[in-house]
Amino acid sequence: NCGIVSAVSNESLFFCSDKGTHGVLMTVGDDAGNTDSCSASVTVADVTPPSLTCHATLSTNLSAAGTAPLAAADLELTASDNCFLGAQAVALGRALSQPQLTCQDIGVTPVNLTVDDLSGNENSCTVMYTVNDVTPPTASCLPTALPVVLNASGMADIQAADIDNGSSDQCGDITLAANQTHFDCSHVGMVSLTLTVTDGSGNTDTCLAQAMVMDNEAPVAECDNVTVALSDLGRANITTSLIDDGSSDACGIASYSLSRDEFNCSMVGVNAVNMIVVDTNGNNEQCTAAVTVEDNVDPQALCKSHAVSLDATTGTANISASDVDNGSNDACGVASLSVMPATFDCSDTGANNVTLSVTDSSSNTGSCVAEVVVSD
């Protein structure tokens, strides 16, 4: 009632090691020297979170397996706690938001680091991780040549996937590109190809493949029917240019040939002739032309003079064509001879002109005039 001049507790300063409940005795004294005391329970608690600083950004490359393990020490710059200044590494717990980085994290990915002290106080920081995929994909090409068959226009196209043999990347998606996908007649044979495999991060790998380009298309054979005339020697010849009516092939024609190109008298009339067309790659086709052979040459009529005597009883005389024929001929043969007139009587005594007609097997005719002397 007269005023308190002192208040003293037996324990007033606490440390981290004092966490928990403590009994404290408070003694109060007045100015007359009277004292009194009481006891109280004091609970000491650590409610201060640890101090933590981290890298703002970090960068890492994924392994060939597509992963990059994480450790708290990689992210942490400094970490401390008010109660464990000398033993933070032991006293602080550390936890990461993920144990490793994978292909799904390529690019910029936030990673959280959380530290806690022995009192359960926590602090955390976030590091922006740049995750790089630097491992190239694995390119795999067909072990054997890809057959590529040209079409009737002499062209063919393939896709890059046609020469792929299971190319892959540890991070998944890839794109394929071939250095050549279009082929024409100039590529017939074995062609070397390069397959380029690119992953989602732009890493590339290549492999070599081959394409066997084939032209299996037969040429188009076009024939024209023609008529040829035998010469005066009874022969005629034709060439492929005479028979060909615009044969074609996308890759070009190497040769033409005929089953027959020479004709003689025995072939007068219609003859079937095959023309074989071969392209530059050995494919062939044929067509058939009707070659009409004509003999338009007249036989050569040769005459000679002849003498004949009238019959004493009838007063007449007869001759035959052979009597005035002097070797008439034709390259294809003489079919018949005739002479006009062939009969004479008394009125024809003296020199008479007769006509020898020569006909060949094609009905061509020739003639000459012979002198026949008739005597009585």
Side-chain angles (χ1 to χ4, degrees):
N1 59 340
C2 290
I4 296 173
V5 295
S6 65
V8 179
S9 64
N10 66 334
E11 193 174 4
S12 61
L13 182 61
F14 300 92
F15 300 93
C16 293
S17 60
D18 298 320
K19 287 191 300 178
T21 301
H22 298 265
V24 177
L25 181 65
M26 172 74 72
T27 300
V28 180
D30 61 17
D31 56 1
N34 301 305
T35 63
D36 194 13
S37 61
C38 64
S39 61
S41 294
V42 176
T43 300
V44 179
D46 175 18
V47 295
T48 302
S51 174
L52 176 65
T53 59
C54 290
H55 293 277
T57 60
L58 287 173
S59 177
T60 189
N61 297 330
L62 296 178
S63 69
T67 61
L70 292 175
D74 298 331
L75 285 69
E76 181 182 307
L77 281 174
T78 62
S80 62
D81 188 74
N82 58 324
C83 284
F84 304 96
L85 295 177
Q88 287 89 349
V90 175
L92 296 178
R94 293 167 172 82
L96 294 169
S97 57
Q98 60 192 87
Q100 65 179 4
L101 298 166
T102 66
C103 295
Q104 285 68 40
D105 300 310
I106 291 173
V108 179
T109 297
V111 178
N112 296 325
L113 170 63
T114 300
V115 296
D116 57 6
D117 61 20
L118 295 180
S119 297
N121 302 301
E122 292 185 351
N123 198 357
S124 63
C125 61
T126 300
V127 177
M128 302 306 294
Y129 249 103
T130 299
V131 182
N132 303 308
D133 172 19
V134 296
T135 302
T138 300
S140 179
C141 287
L142 289 178
T144 58
L146 175 71
V148 177
V149 180
L150 300 178
N151 60 23
S153 299
M155 294 182 289
D157 291 279
I158 65 169
Q159 303 295 321
D162 295 331
I163 57 174
D164 179 51
N165 193 39
S167 300
S168 62
D169 184 77
Q170 76 277 7
C171 285
D173 293 340
I174 56 175
T175 58
L176 305 174
N179 66 321
Q180 182 176 347
T181 58
H182 179 75
F183 303 89
D184 58 32
C185 296
S186 67
H187 301 119
V188 170
M190 195 70 76
V191 178
S192 295
L193 302 174
T194 299
L195 176 68
T196 299
V197 182
T198 305
D199 67 16
S201 296
N203 304 299
T204 63
D205 190 23
T206 61
C207 58
L208 297 178
Q210 289 182 313
M212 175 56 76
V213 181
M214 296 173 284
D215 170 24
N216 296 332
E217 291 287 335
V220 177
E222 298 284 354
C223 285
D224 189 21
N225 298 327
V226 296
T227 299
V228 295
L230 297 174
S231 68
D232 55 0
L233 298 177
R235 298 189 185 91
N237 295 86
I238 60 172
T239 62
T240 55
S241 60
L242 186 64
I243 298 296
D244 182 46
D245 193 32
S247 300
S248 62
D249 186 87
C251 292
I253 294 175
S255 66
Y256 302 82
S257 61
L258 298 174
S259 59
R260 176 180 294 279
D261 61 4
E262 185 174 317
F263 303 88
N264 56 39
C265 297
S266 65
M267 299 170 183
V268 171
V270 179
N271 300 266
V273 176
N274 295 327
M275 181 177 72
I276 301 171
V277 182
V278 182
D279 69 15
T280 54
N281 294 304
N283 304 297
N284 67 81
E285 186 58 276
Q286 67 179 22
C287 57
T288 301
V291 178
T292 301
V293 178
E294 296 180 343
D295 173 18
N296 298 324
V297 179
D298 292 334
Q300 182 181 28
L302 298 175
C303 289
K304 64 180 180 179
S305 299
H306 182 64
V308 65
S309 298
L310 296 174
D311 183 87
T313 303
T314 62
T316 62
N318 296 305
I319 64 171
S320 65
S322 60
D323 293 330
V324 294
D325 179 44
N326 195 31
S328 300
N329 60 83
D330 186 86
C332 291
V334 173
S336 64
L337 298 171
S338 64
V339 62
M340 289 290 291
T343 302
F344 303 91
D345 57 23
C346 297
S347 63
D348 298 312
T349 302
N352 298 268
N353 287 332
V354 298
T355 299
L356 175 67
S357 296
V358 183
T359 303
D360 66 15
S361 55
S362 296
S363 299
N364 301 300
T365 62
S367 64
C368 60
V369 176
E371 182 180 74
V372 175
V373 178
V374 179
S375 60
D376 182 7

